[in-house]
């Protein structure tokens, strides 16, 4: 039988606020057994000592256990709701569907949890290869043959902490960096290049020595966030597949810089949302989720005007970038429950980043 | 002879970077003797211990002295270029003009420096009355009879510091608050209500007990920022006057919340800039300056979605708000040299704020 | 049968690190069924959005449940390990004891969880009265008649958050403050004055209008910290009682300012620890726990020299104070697992604070 | 004629507060023409975007010019007065002296301003060599033959900023790091190793590849701070010389970790200050200045207890370390006007750091 993806965007009152999820179950909207992934935008600093991610993960695990959900739910928590961004959960269900074939494609979502990565591999080529292999496996499961039908790959990746570095070095190994905050950047970058490999955007030999180089290759559809709560990877692929059913569709854009709204407007228009000015309230209700990466341009400027994000020792650059790009995108969409994630190393061009939009088609029978 | 306002937006490489100003003088674009005001968006935290404002003020004073500028140049420094906002100077010249009357109005700018306010009056009604009186004097000088022709009143106001509080209390007095960060909010609010008084938006008896009340009255055209470097007020009025000449015009909008772009688009359109999507590069060159206030809504939400700005003890709410609203507005305009100032107490509705736009008219002969 | 208090200080690798506690149980040192309280020094910012407290509380609750501990374990998490302070748990057991009477007193610990306080009462007299009543009940249980035998009362109290404020106001009520960070200060102050009431240090009529006044009355033995994870109070009393047995003793000191080490040295000496210079390693092993409050003096100075804690908008004053006083005390003790808690409103004199020391007596038979 | 060093410690109300210096001149205590160096402890974040250093430097330069001081006054501003540390100036005068030879040595101070370093050399061996050469020149001027008579070398060194990195790379060069905050660490380390070279503590060939390695060699008497306001080095040497006169003496200690007070007590005792417990008020008046380096241990622990300084993305580790070690040292001394400077890379052992004490001898005739 065909499969159908359902996506629920639910407000979170805190990292441990399960009330919205429980209410959705009680209303009959959400079937715990069908959940394959929960993405959480939590309100920590999104950097090394952001415990909101671990707290949310623990809270969700306890909730899923109480709800007797399946065992392999991918949990990807991304810290940081700077500016007016609003903490929320994005819950993805996969159900069997008896909808008729729409004569086209529909949103297909698959996920995997990879085995733990040795901390010494974090931010290095071995990490990229591990991610690439995992993405390939998911594409097979989703019946997606053409990488062009993949629009977003969300990866949660590990980071180095002081104890992990000490353990590697005690065992005679080396680490990619001693700077724990910097390890988040390298890990995100290696994971993104792994996605690029899987989608045919780069070749393995082109990656040698480029991880961490802001001028290096990048992936147009990867979104990676790092957290201390895991050592493997949680990977979730969002694509369009003829083997799937339902009214949802996904498309993506790549912003060339922090102000590059034109590709986002175009993607919204392709999805049947009028992206000219700000979405009106009726249209906005059909925008199910927006996921984006934000990053401070490494040349220290946006369209020639200096920014201070990289020179600010009070607020990490990733926090500045999330707040600002959050504003740019919220100005288009008209609401603030956006999954804007910081640290876009090798995820879109330097200073820009990929944006994925999941929408409910006005006419679900229309092929996308 | 008629007067003409010229406005220069110049990038700042730091609080003491005078190179752009000097270059403008050397090019013959800027006449130091004609400068009446310099507004600076500096890169500090915009809160109590933001020394970039004082540093910029001292640097500008030394530069003006070296350039043999006039004595009464208003200097208004607003700290905080969060997100991708870019530090810059807005230099205002007033020159005599032999341009023919345009058959309409043109940008008129006037300023005043009030006498020092006793610290005990900061954040109280006496502060509002002092500001109102000063604004009235400026309107007379600008030949503006109708308050509707006033589009922006920028006020730099004082704040309480620990030593000032101690001095007031040692003398047996009381202060509006012991919280120095909060004193900035009260001072901005009192100053804004002073502008509202001057423009006929409120009456004095309506102000009793409302200073600091987020649900209280507000001014649609005031922008106030507080700094420790002065005890009086620097007030600059931007309006349209039939007695003035030149191609520049000013208009304003009031954002109802942090995402309310429609009034800003409308104001841009009234000024001959196409505000439908993002300004294209040619049109953008005619947008001389954009000045806006940003603020975290006190109900803790934007359009019903929770924000975390008021609960964040790592980053002050004003910094979050500047970064986010900076993104919203930069997404419309297409560049990041925006004078977005935090702390919009009594300056526009709670969570929103006034926006002023100065533009070069496509056809300067056209009446505005 | 007589009772005996045992106290374990256990390093924490994170808010959810239960490994040290589990190891103590497995070694047979710790009996889960005997635990009455766990105090945690966690590594968040110690301010409003410090989720390490809630995360630690949830982790401990799950651990206690797995360990089949009793139901009424008091959990008091205090956020903030600034400087070199080290995250740790202080686990308090009460066991029946067949030790002979020592001819003196021994450490006695009791605790209570009060009912939820209406948010409208936070920071007000009703909160103080609720705390005073609860302390009285504990003293009875501990068989402590003389308030002079009480050396430390640790209180975890609630705070106002944006949603709580909104709820109170929606119901037509008022709150003590709209500033959520400030609500922590008012709540700590009200709770401390409740302890002062219970210990006879002040009378109820002396409290009118003094909550939040830095020059108001204070308690010499209260330590209060506020957290968003509860609406009632967790109260733990540390005293000396002739009805109790064992080698542990508690004493206290009151620092008059942030540098006032003499009273702390004296208290250490009374407990048989040589407080002249830094404790040597052998003596240090008998210092079981040190609990202290730290606070920025409201006159903006320490012994006449200006501090910047109250004017810093990047780092909250409580964080500065914990780091600094942590250094002062660690310099005496020689290690960094100190329970230094910020926000000493009405807890010791302005700028100073109470310090409690729990030590293992060299000769446990000696009467204290 | 012999020379004599005078040292004045003067409170600073802000980076531009010259009132204390002016008052000292007006009292006749301070001769502007004799000033050779001013060290300032200013209240910024001590990291990349700390403009209090530049603001203080500009303010002092203007003041020195107004006071008609000499041209070559070394200005070394060190940002960061975390905890209760108090902003202050340390003004060093060198005057001709007709005091009789004391039969021993006296405090001798010399300084130099090196030529600008190419940004590409920052944090690299060429920087160390430049510093070593400059220290050698100063020792000759001070008539100090034995490096053991050198007790403190304060170096202000440059850092990389985003524009400097861009300029180097535009010219085809490379930089030591792209992380501007990290560049401060590398620059401090390279400068410290330059001092170690000059004092014979290391040899040049031992430095290859060690800059930035926390386990690498270190200098026992260097104190380096980095700032964006210069590209050369300001170097000030404090030593004891038989060719100098006067009651002042300097000595130093090396703390092995953040709690290692014993060597500091010993140095105080050698200088005639009783370092047993906290200095009493009379003795404290003879302690003219204390200068120390503080640093977070890179193994993530102090005496085996975990610290969180290196994992904190809200507060830079240098700020934590200054606050904490400031507390440790202020607890010994009894006041807070301590020149504690962060970032002790290659300045003392990892996690510890050098401390210099300048004192007025009780009997100035006594040989030191």
């Amino acid at each position: 039988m065909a499969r159908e993806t359902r996506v629920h965007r639910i407000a979170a009152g805190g990292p441990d606020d399960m009330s919205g999820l429980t209410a959705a179950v009680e209303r009959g909207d959400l079937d715990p057994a069908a959940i394959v992934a929960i993405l959480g935008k939590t309100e920590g600093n999104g950097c090394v000592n952001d415990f909101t991610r671990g707290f949310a993960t623990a809270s969700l695990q306890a909730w899923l256990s109480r709800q007797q959900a399946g065992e392999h739910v991918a949990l990807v928590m991304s810290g940081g709701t700077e500016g007016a961004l609003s903490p929320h959960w994005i819950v993805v269900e996969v159900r069997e569907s008896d909808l008729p074939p729409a004569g086209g494609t529909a949103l297909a979502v698959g996920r995997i949890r990879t085995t733990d990565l040795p901390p010494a591999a974090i931010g290095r080529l071995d990490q990229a290869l591990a991610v690439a292999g995992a993405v390939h496996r998911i594409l097979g499961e989703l019946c997606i043959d053409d990488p062009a039908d993949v629009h977003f790959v969300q990866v949660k990746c590990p980071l180095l902490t002081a104890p992990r570095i000490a353990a590697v070095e005690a065992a005679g190994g080396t680490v990619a960096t001693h700077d724990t905050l910097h390890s988040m950047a390298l890990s995100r970058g290696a994971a993104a290049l792994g996605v690029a490999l899987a989608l045919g955007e780069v070749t393995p030999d082109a990656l040698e020595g480029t991880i961490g180089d802001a001028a290096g290759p990048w992936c147009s559809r990867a979104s990676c966030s790092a957290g201390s709560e895991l050592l493997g990877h949680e990977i979730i692929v969002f694509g369009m597949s003829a083997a799937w059913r339902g009214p949802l569709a996904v498309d993506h854009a790549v912003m060339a810089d922090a102000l590059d709204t034109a590709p986002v407007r175009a993607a919204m228009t392709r999805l049947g949302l009028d992206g000219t000015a700000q979405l009106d309230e009726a249209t906005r209700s059909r925008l199910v989720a927006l996921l984006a990466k934000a990053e401070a341009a490494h040349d220290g400027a946006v369209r020639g005007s200096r920014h201070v994000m990289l020179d600010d020792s009070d607020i990490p650059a990733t926090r500045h970038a999330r707040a600002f790009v959050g504003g740019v995108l919220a100005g288009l969409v008209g609401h603030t429950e956006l999954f804007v994630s910081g640290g876009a190393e090798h995820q879109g061009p330097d200073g820009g980043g990929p944006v994925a939009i999941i929408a409910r088609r006005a006419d679900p029978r229309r092929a996308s």
Side-chain angles (χ1 to χ4, degrees), chain A:
Chain A
M1 189 178 260
R3 287 170 285 175
E4 176 185 352
T5 306
R6 297 187 184 190
V7 178
H8 310 260
R9 195 178 78 237
I10 296 173
D16 58 342
D17 176 21
M18 302 293 114
S19 62
L21 286 78
T22 301
V25 171
E26 290 174 351
R27 276 197 313 270
D29 286 352
L30 182 60
D31 173 10
I35 299 173
V36 298
I38 303 179
L39 288 78
K41 197 86 212 66
T42 64
E43 58 206 274
N45 62 25
C47 301
V48 175
N49 65 329
D50 180 350
F51 293 100
T52 63
R53 294 176 305 224
F55 192 13
T57 299
S59 302
L60 287 166
Q61 284 169 336
W63 181 84
L64 289 166
S65 169
R66 285 197 303 275
Q67 296 284 343
Q68 300 181 296
E71 286 195 2
H72 296 299
V73 177
L75 299 177
V76 177
M77 302 298 114
S78 164
T81 55
E82 293 82 4
L85 291 174
S86 191
H88 64 284
W89 315 111
I90 297 174
V91 186
V92 182
E93 285 181 281
V94 172
R95 302 199 190 187
E96 300 205 326
S97 173
D98 51 9
L99 287 174
T105 56
L107 175 64
V109 177
R111 89 293 186 199
I112 210 166
R113 168 74 178 253
T114 69
T115 54
D116 282 1
L117 197 70
I122 290 175
R124 291 170 165 169
L125 189 57
D126 279 353
Q127 183 181 6
L129 296 173
V131 169
V135 171
H136 269 302
R137 280 201 298 281
I138 302 174
L139 296 191
E141 288 171 17
L142 298 182
C143 307
I144 294 181
D145 300 322
D146 184 353
D149 286 329
V150 174
H151 292 286
F152 212 61
V153 181
Q154 177 69 44
V155 184
K156 182 84 199 199
C157 55
L159 56 85
L160 290 168
T161 58
R164 287 174 185 172
I165 293 170
V168 169
E169 296 187 338
T174 65
V175 289
T177 179
H178 281 82
D179 178 332
T180 53
L181 186 58
H182 185 51
S183 79
M184 302 177 77
L186 292 179
S187 179
R188 288 185 297 249
L193 291 172
V195 178
L197 279 174
L199 300 185
E201 296 188 344
V202 292
T203 56
D205 52 302
L207 296 191
E208 279 298 333
T210 67
I211 297 174
D213 177 0
W218 46 268
C219 180
S220 66
R221 288 160 285 172
S223 167
C224 308
S225 63
S228 59
E229 69 276 19
L230 80 179
L231 262 170
H233 293 81
E234 290 283 4
I235 305 177
I236 311 174
V237 173
F238 295 81
M240 295 297 286
S241 169
W244 291 57
R245 304 280 182 271
L248 298 187
V250 63
D251 206 326
H252 80 278
V254 177
M255 294 173 75
D257 62 31
L259 297 177
D260 188 26
T261 57
V264 185
R265 295 172 191 275
M268 289 201 288
T269 301
R270 288 195 300 272
L271 286 163
L273 311 170
D274 176 7
T276 315
Q278 192 177 84
L279 296 185
D280 61 32
E281 207 166 335
T283 310
R284 197 184 302 153
S285 70
R286 292 197 292 113
L287 189 143
V288 178
L290 184 151
L291 304 100
K293 295 298 297 189
E295 186 186 48
H298 285 80
D299 65 354
V302 175
R303 299 188 179 176
S305 294
R306 182 172 71 102
H307 67 72
V308 303
M309 299 188 264
L310 299 174
D311 278 349
D312 189 337
S313 305
D314 297 312
I315 301 180
T318 50
R319 307 200 73 182
H320 279 291
R322 271 189 299 269
F324 186 81
V325 176
V328 170
L329 293 171
L332 292 184
V333 166
H335 72 77
T336 57
E337 281 186 353
L338 307 180
F339 196 89
V340 181
S341 172
E345 300 82 3
H346 300 292
Q347 300 150 65
D350 185 28
V355 179
I357 300 167
I358 299 172
R360 183 168 291 107
R361 287 177 280 203
D363 172 7
R365 304 293 292 274
R366 189 177 65 84
S368 81

